[in-house]
Amino acid sequence: MNKKSNIPNPLMPTYSRFDIAFDRGVGAYLFDAEGGKYLDFASGIAVTALGHSHPHLVETLKEQGEKLWHTSNLFQIPLQEKLAERLVAATFADNVFFTNSGVEAMECAIKLARKYHSSQGHPEKYRIISFKNAFHGRSLATIAASGKEKLTKGFGPMPDGFDQVPFIDLEALAAAITPETAAILLEPVQGEGGILPATGEDLQAIRNIADEHGLLLIFDEIQCGMGRAGKLFAHEWAGVTPDIMAVAKGIGGGFPVGACLARASVGESLTFGSHGTTYGGNPLAMALGNAVLDIMLEDGFFEHVQGVTKTLMAGLRSLQQKYPALITDVRGLGLMIGVECTVKTRPLIAKALELGLVLAPSGENIIRLLPPLIIDEGHITEALAKLDQLFSEIKT
Ligand SMILES: Cc1ncc(COP(=O)(O)O)c(C=O)c1O
């Protein structure tokens, strides 16, 4: 007997998927094969920042798809240089390394922090301090950086060199610094950890601690970056810049793209042969990255995000007042919003799907709203009405 015939699903059981498959998407809407219509307030976990089938992205994909997909980094890739130049012009950074995913951007950031100190004559500085409940990806280094048992269990021993302190506990942070510390790493808004924004003062204080001790500051803006916070990057609200930043998700608008950005002296320590990737920054990915920036850098784009954020937050706060026994908090930055509930939210999210609204979880009791940045007031009215209906049906 074919042993495999007993296996009901050939995929490794890493995900607990909702019982729905989407067939196509247009703007802020997804459709199933039966024509069911869903308002997408999850954006594939903050990825489809410009919604589905954005005409400029579709056009770019078709044009580049017919021209050239991949050449490898053995050769010049003008579109890669163009995107790097535009990112550098728009940020603190002086140079960029392109990847295919968030975790690779983070891996590059971690390696860069170590390589920088090593190139400065301090190879003993290799440890990175991060914050409890952080999420930086699923490689061995990034699960070690998070330290969360849910991520690390069964995968030991963990790579050495990562220390965690409670989120924004500045005393604990200062106390954890040793002569071996290379960098401080944080998400300006913790995503998987429950949509917890650091304040501008927090970020400034952490920057000061890093400077005092000669440490690098790494921001993981994989989820909160690329316009989601209402500016190109969340840290811009605080006016505090990192030395290294990991970016992904929204930067490709749905095409897998990631990037590690750095200040000149830091990024230059990744010398020839010290790091690399086969796919990262290939012409097809770079065409889409540039196309996303074309739209985001248009006049008024971030103002639009800030405007709809205000409307959505006001509506959610009204719902909190209406359902105080169910909703304990509404928080976030820009269109990265957490609605904390007194009940487990996975069943709520399943119910929302039945009402035609796509939401994402964060932790056990938080509903995460990550709508595409192109939503308008009409989408918000529709989402709030569906949420109202959803909450009215929940017994607390
Ligand atoms: C803050 C943060 N860092 C890193 C990652 C990992 O990115 P990827 O899943 O593309 O590897 C994620 C993904 O959710 C994230 O939210």
Side-chain angles (χ1 to χ4, degrees), residues 71-339:
T71 57
S72 90
N73 287 301
L74 285 174
F75 306 101
Q76 305 290 324
I77 303 179
L79 283 169
Q80 199 181 109
E81 278 175 41
K82 181 177 171 190
L83 184 54
E85 274 166 17
R86 296 173 84 188
L87 288 170
V88 162
T91 65
F92 71 95
D94 299 298
N95 43 42
V96 185
F97 180 88
F98 288 106
T99 67
N100 315 289
S101 66
V103 73
E104 290 165 276
M106 268 310 308
E107 196 75 22
C108 180
I110 292 167
K111 286 179 72 177
L112 193 48
R114 290 185 175 191
K115 191 73 162 52
Y116 169 75
H117 285 291
S118 166
S119 69
Q120 299 290 304
H122 291 287
E124 78 285 0
K125 288 188 177 292
Y126 70 100
R127 304 194 72 82
I128 293 178
I129 303 176
S130 58
F131 291 91
K132 287 199 172 129
N133 261 329
F135 183 79
H136 300 295
R138 299 280 193 160
S139 67
L140 278 172
T142 54
I143 61 175
S146 164
K148 216 173 170 176
E149 203 201 346
K150 194 176 155 218
L151 303 176
T152 59
K153 199 173 172 203
F155 295 111
M158 284 296 110
D160 179 34
F162 299 94
D163 304 299
Q164 293 86 30
V165 296
F167 190 54
I168 317 295
D169 183 336
L170 300 179
E171 265 178 40
L173 174 63
I177 295 168
T178 73
E180 293 182 338
T181 306
I184 302 169
L185 160 65
L186 82 153
E187 299 157 83
V189 185
Q190 275 200 346
E192 309 297 312
I195 313 292
L196 294 170
T199 65
E201 293 88 76
D202 295 336
L203 294 182
Q204 186 62 61
I206 293 169
R207 175 76 264 180
N208 294 346
I209 292 173
D211 290 345
E212 248 169 64
H213 293 85
L215 309 179
L216 296 174
L217 180 58
I218 308 172
F219 284 164
D220 177 347
E221 289 232 16
I222 287 166
Q223 191 165 150
C224 62
M226 292 310 295
R228 184 141 300 276
K231 290 192 182 276
L232 186 56
F233 292 104
H235 69 260
E236 290 172 32
W237 285 111
V240 173
T241 52
D243 303 294
I244 302 173
M245 177 169 69
V247 182
K249 291 191 185 271
I251 192 174
F255 197 89
V257 185
C260 178
L261 281 64
R263 280 199 293 110
S265 56
V266 180
E268 279 157 16
S269 57
L270 277 192
T271 48
F272 169 63
S274 63
H275 195 56
T277 164
T278 301
Y279 290 119
N282 83 9
L284 191 54
M286 294 298 97
L288 283 154
N290 275 295
V292 167
L293 267 195
D294 291 344
I295 304 296
M296 287 194 183
L297 297 181
E298 271 174 7
D299 272 355
F301 185 87
F302 300 120
E303 287 76 10
H304 168 81
V305 178
Q306 291 166 24
V308 288
T309 296
K310 277 197 190 118
T311 312
L312 181 55
M313 281 302 265
L316 291 169
R317 294 227 154 96
S318 301
L319 287 176
Q320 182 185 2
Q321 278 170 4
K322 189 167 173 187
Y323 301 101
L326 179 63
I327 303 173
T328 50
D329 195 18
V330 174
R331 58 174 179 262
L333 188 65
L335 291 177
M336 183 172 174
I337 302 172
V339 177

